[in-house]
Amino acid sequence: MNKLNENQGLNISENYLVSPFYVFFIIFTMQVGIGILGFERYLVEKAGFDAWISVLTAGVFLHILVWIMYRLLQNGGGDIVHIHKQVFGKYIGGFLSLLFAAYALLLSFDVMITFIEVIKVWMFPGLQVWIFSFVMIGLVYYIVSGGFRVITGIALISVVIGLPILLLKFFPIQAGHTMNIYPNINHSPGQILAAAKQSALSFLGLEFLLIFYPFIKNPDKSKKWAHFAVFYTTMLYFISVLVTFVYFSEEQLKQVVWGTISTWKIVEFPFIERFEYVGIAMWLYVILPNICIGIWGATRVMKRIFPVKQIHFLRVVCISLFFPVALVAGRDPINAINNFAGTVGYYVLLYIPVLLLLKMISDKVRKRYEN
């Protein structure tokens, strides 16, 4: 058994741990999900075609956040439940951990309803949402019930499947105008920072490291893979922004909801007439780990707080998610939920450095009283 896990008293068997290398796939697949299909429009509204600076700025912030989380986890031990208990005590800490679990469920819910909207808009306008929701949640239940290592395997597969689709960005570059991306910085630092905030919201998912950290074998060695995942994701978003800017004008992009999917429409192969159908279908494998890790993380936190098996929480959560997923429809309510989830995620990211500061203060106070 991993020495760190023994010290934390989590009693996680060696059979349930994953190698440090897999942290790259887990973090990458959490950050590259449904958001990358249409995030460019929101950046352009904030900072126009200068938004590429915002993406790089957000990437730097996320690297700092990775360092903060590893510092927090290495000093605090365990996971976010253990850290909350150390800093705030059993009851307040447990309440804050439950809020984190609710946030994880919110992200999973947001991904599901947004992807269903994509399918309805682009593929099947007459889709019976409740049937698709039932199948999707049933698949998620099957994967999550297999444990964290199964979810990690799905994350690995999603990266392998998703990468060839991303290579298709070559087509809009051929049809676009490279003059659009020539440096012409005409937005204020405030506008660029506002777009950087919007960019950071597209990267949400990194914070789940606070939950699955105890499941990493030799977690200290995973730090470089976490940073590599953030760097790779930042470059992916950066290239996506540039490609979309090349293909669309600024005014056009403000009217396009799904920028990346729109560029798929120009992809031409002799054997495929509408490639966007193929891309959306394959993207299901990309967003599936998003949902699974979110639900696994939420039920894992619940298990850590209450003396109940995780599988029981999983059943309750899946049943509870089915009805709202099946009922929510329409661009306006889904857009409102997207904005709400993004705002909550932004404050969660800001909370992590604050939690590290509070942990350092509580450690000093505890040592003073012990001495």
Side-chain angles (χ1 to χ4, degrees):
M1 181 180 293
N2 186 306
K3 183 178 180 181
L4 178 64
N5 293 328
E6 288 179 336
N7 294 336
Q8 293 161 356
L10 297 181
N11 297 320
I12 299 177
S13 171
E14 183 84 24
N15 296 331
Y16 298 108
L17 305 182
V18 299
S19 299
F21 171 71
Y22 289 102
V23 171
F24 169 81
F25 297 99
I26 300 170
I27 292 180
F28 176 78
T29 194
M30 281 303 298
Q31 292 187 304
V32 179
I34 199 70
I36 199 173
L37 297 181
F39 77 107
E40 301 93 344
R41 173 192 178 189
Y42 303 100
L43 300 189
V44 168
E45 290 176 350
K46 302 288 185 183
F49 277 5
D50 294 334
W52 62 269
I53 305 174
S54 305
V55 175
L56 298 180
T57 303
V60 172
F61 168 72
L62 292 174
H63 277 290
I64 297 172
L65 200 62
V66 169
W67 180 86
I68 290 173
M69 285 194 290
Y70 271 93
R71 177 76 180 272
L72 181 63
L73 290 163
Q74 289 168 343
N75 293 346
D79 53 12
I80 192 169
V81 177
H82 185 76
I83 296 169
H84 275 155
K85 185 176 179 181
Q86 282 186 320
V87 177
F88 300 103
K90 179 179 179 181
Y91 296 105
I92 297 178
F95 175 72
L96 292 174
S97 297
L98 285 177
L99 290 181
F100 196 88
Y103 163 68
L105 291 179
L106 174 63
L107 289 188
S108 296
F109 173 69
D110 185 49
V111 172
M112 281 191 280
I113 61 174
T114 306
F115 185 71
I116 289 174
E117 185 202 19
V118 169
I119 292 178
K120 290 192 67 176
V121 170
W122 287 90
M123 298 179 68
F124 305 112
L127 176 71
Q128 294 293 328
V129 175
W130 71 270
I131 297 178
F132 187 82
S133 302
F134 180 80
V135 174
M136 177 182 285
I137 291 177
L139 180 59
V140 170
Y141 173 82
Y142 177 75
I143 293 172
V144 176
S145 63
F148 184 70
R149 296 188 70 172
V150 173
I151 298 174
T152 303
I154 297 296
L156 172 61
I157 294 173
S158 75
V159 173
V160 174
I161 291 177
L163 284 180
I165 302 177
L166 299 173
L167 295 176
L168 299 174
K169 295 186 179 296
F170 175 73
F171 287 87
I173 291 177
Q174 287 183 311
H177 304 280
T178 55
M179 290 290 294
N180 291 348
I181 60 173
Y182 280 7
N184 184 24
I185 301 174
N186 54 13
H187 291 79
S188 67
Q191 291 173 312
I192 292 176
L193 288 176
K197 173 186 173 182
Q198 190 68 47
S199 299
L201 302 183
S202 302
F203 288 93
L204 291 178
L206 174 68
E207 60 278 12
F208 283 90
L209 176 65
L210 296 171
I211 301 176
F212 68 77
Y213 181 82
F215 286 82
I216 306 171
K217 188 184 299 183
N218 301 318
D220 288 343
K221 297 181 179 179
S222 68
K223 187 184 300 185
K224 63 180 180 181
W225 294 109
H227 280 288
F228 184 43
V230 171
F231 173 78
Y232 193 71
T233 306
T234 303
M235 290 299 101
L236 180 59
Y237 275 90
F238 177 64
I239 293 171
S240 296
V241 163
L242 293 184
V243 170
T244 308
F245 289 176
V246 164
Y247 187 70
F248 294 102
S249 69
E250 190 169 326
E251 292 303 317
Q252 284 177 327
L253 195 53
K254 289 180 180 179
Q255 306 301 320
V256 175
V257 178
W258 305 104
T260 298
I261 300 179
S262 297
T263 60
W264 286 348
K265 294 177 67 174
I266 68 170
V267 177
E268 294 182 357
F269 292 110
F271 51 91
I272 299 177
E273 183 176 353
R274 298 289 299 273
F275 184 82
E276 66 269 25
Y277 287 4
V278 178
I280 293 171
M282 293 180 68
W283 211 254
L284 172 63
Y285 294 95
V286 177
I287 62 99
L288 191 58
N290 290 190
I291 303 169
C292 293
I293 293 174
I295 292 178
W296 176 87
T299 55
R300 170 69 185 172
V301 170
M302 295 175 189
K303 175 186 179 297
R304 294 273 288 119
I305 298 173
F306 303 105
V308 180
K309 291 184 177 180
Q310 188 171 353
I311 189 67
H312 299 316
F313 286 119
L314 176 60
R315 290 166 182 163
V316 172
V317 164
C318 288
I319 294 173
S320 301
L321 283 177
F322 169 72
F323 295 100
V325 168
L327 293 175
V328 175
R331 175 79 278 222
D332 290 339
I334 291 177
N335 194 47
I337 294 172
N338 289 163
N339 293 334
F340 177 71
T343 301
V344 173
Y346 174 70
Y347 287 110
V348 169
L349 295 182
L350 293 182
Y351 169 69
I352 294 173
V354 175
L355 183 59
L356 175 60
L357 179 61
L358 294 175
K359 178 66 172 60
M360 294 170 64
I361 294 174
S362 67
D363 287 345
K364 289 184 178 180
V365 172
R366 188 178 295 108
K367 288 180 180 179
R368 181 176 299 178
Y369 278 103
E370 288 177 353
N371 295 332

